[in-house]
Amino acid sequence: MHNKELLKGTLTAIVLKLLADKGEMYGYELAQKVKEMSGQKILLKDGSLYPALHKLSKEGWLEFREEHIGKRVRKYYSLTATGIAQEKIESENLKEFMRTLKDLLFPDFTFKLA
Amino acid sequence: MHNKELLKGTLTAIVLKLLADKGEMYGYELAQKVKEMSGQKILLKDGSLYPALHKLSKEGWLEFREEHIGKRVRKYYSLTATGIAQEKIESENLKEFMRTLKDLLFPDFTFKLA
DNA sequence: TTCAATACATCATAATTCTATGTATTGTTA
DNA sequence: TAACAATACATAGAATTATGATGTATTGAA
């Protein structure tokens, strides 16, 4: 991102949402998916993503299983029950924030969030 | 805001945009306006706003004149020429970010930013 | 065989807003 | 008229969070 600060507070919502949609994903896959879906605009760094995944796991929102691909290890993360609830909260929160920001700064634009 | 972190990186854009619209405003007025326009959701604190105004002035984007209301002092801030240019950059930046986030997380919603 | 990509990880740093604290004036209301 | 809320500015330290730098190791392509 151009302005790195804008991303702050959104990473949790992004991870939870993608996992809610995909069921389970591993770290590297998540970073690639975000990159692809954002048109190469959001480039999650290792130094951001892995600590975030650990933190969300510690919160009890994620769990993971390890898969061994040859000699390489993948950690597939998925939402726990608490995580599913949290995903809804975070998504609604972010939507609300975007609505508010839109009203404040871009009132003339169409911006419908159900 | 519920999630304070979400606001990060948006404060500069907010201040520049309001000044672009209003011509000139003083600090306290800015905070009130943001509060009102956001439906009491974004509550800028003194500790955020005044340092931000100083920083933006130092960047050369704002200038101010002092007005004495009785014994009280008000600093009316306005955009410099550089500030006017910067406002456009910051606004477009934020719009672009919101578009990206929308594509990533809420692709089903209508979200038109010209 | 060299390099890019895959796949994980941690630590120190930077950036930004908030909390806490401070000073002082003005308007309201009990 | 006394107390309190609102107005109006300010700064220093704390908290949060993503990044940069760095590290290890495997796999596939040129």
Side-chain angles (χ1 to χ4, degrees):
Chain A
M1 286 294 301
H2 315 118
N3 188 346
K4 291 179 270 185
E5 299 303 325
L6 285 177
L7 206 60
K8 292 210 172 171
T10 64
L11 180 52
T12 296
I14 288 172
V15 169
L16 294 181
K17 179 63 157 63
L18 289 188
L19 289 179
D21 290 347
K22 292 271 170 185
E24 64 171 15
M25 297 177 84
Y26 57 98
Y28 189 83
E29 184 187 10
L30 261 163
Q32 296 307 308
K33 195 70 186 168
V34 169
K35 182 181 171 187
E36 174 207 326
M37 289 178 76
S38 69
Q40 349 299 327
K41 291 201 201 71
I42 299 180
L43 305 171
L44 293 185
K45 309 306 160 107
D46 295 9
S48 315
L49 180 59
Y50 294 114
L53 290 172
H54 301 159
K55 186 193 163 203
L56 298 184
S57 299
K58 206 172 168 190
E59 295 283 354
W61 301 339
L62 303 187
E63 58 194 354
F64 67 89
R65 63 179 181 84
E66 290 191 343
E67 191 158 301
H68 293 264
I69 311 291
K71 287 182 179 173
R72 199 181 277 162
V73 180
R74 277 185 193 162
K75 291 190 177 175
Y76 279 90
Y77 288 88
S78 54
L79 298 178
T80 61
T82 321
I84 291 170
Q86 190 62 27
E87 188 275 324
K88 290 181 182 114
I89 293 170
E90 299 267 348
S91 279
E92 198 43 60
N93 224 274
L94 190 52
K95 251 193 248 177
E96 177 62 25
F97 175 69
M98 288 169 77
R99 270 192 214 101
T100 302
L101 214 52
K102 176 261 166 190
D103 290 340
L104 194 60
L105 297 180
F106 316 114
D108 297 336
F109 295 113
T110 307
F111 181 93
K112 279 184 191 168
L113 292 176
Chain B
M1 289 293 303
H2 316 118
N3 187 346
K4 291 178 272 185
E5 299 305 324
L6 284 178
L7 206 60
K8 293 210 172 172
T10 63
L11 181 51
T12 296
I14 289 172
V15 170
L16 295 181
K17 180 62 157 67
L18 288 188
L19 289 179
D21 289 347
K22 292 271 172 186
E24 63 171 17
M25 298 178 85
Y26 57 99
Y28 189 83
E29 185 187 9
L30 261 162
Q32 296 307 308
K33 195 70 187 170
V34 168
K35 182 180 171 187
E36 175 208 326
M37 289 178 75
S38 71
Q40 348 302 324
K41 292 199 201 74
I42 298 180
L43 306 170
L44 294 185
K45 308 306 161 97
D46 295 9
S48 314
L49 181 59
Y50 294 114
L53 290 172
H54 301 160
K55 188 194 161 203
L56 298 184
S57 300
K58 206 173 169 189
E59 295 282 355
W61 301 338
L62 303 186
E63 58 193 354
F64 67 89
R65 62 179 182 85
E66 292 192 343
E67 192 159 300
H68 293 264
I69 311 291
K71 287 182 179 174
R72 199 180 277 161
V73 179
R74 276 186 195 161
K75 292 190 178 174
Y76 279 91
Y77 288 87
S78 54
L79 297 179
T80 61
T82 322
I84 291 171
Q86 191 61 26
E87 188 276 325
K88 289 180 183 116
I89 293 169
E90 300 268 347
S91 280
E92 198 44 59
N93 224 276
L94 190 52
K95 250 193 248 176
E96 177 62 25
F97 175 69
M98 288 170 78
R99 269 193 215 102
T100 302
L101 214 52
K102 175 261 164 190
D103 290 341
L104 194 59
L105 296 180
F106 316 114
D108 297 336
F109 295 113
T110 306
F111 181 92
K112 277 185 192 168
L113 292 177

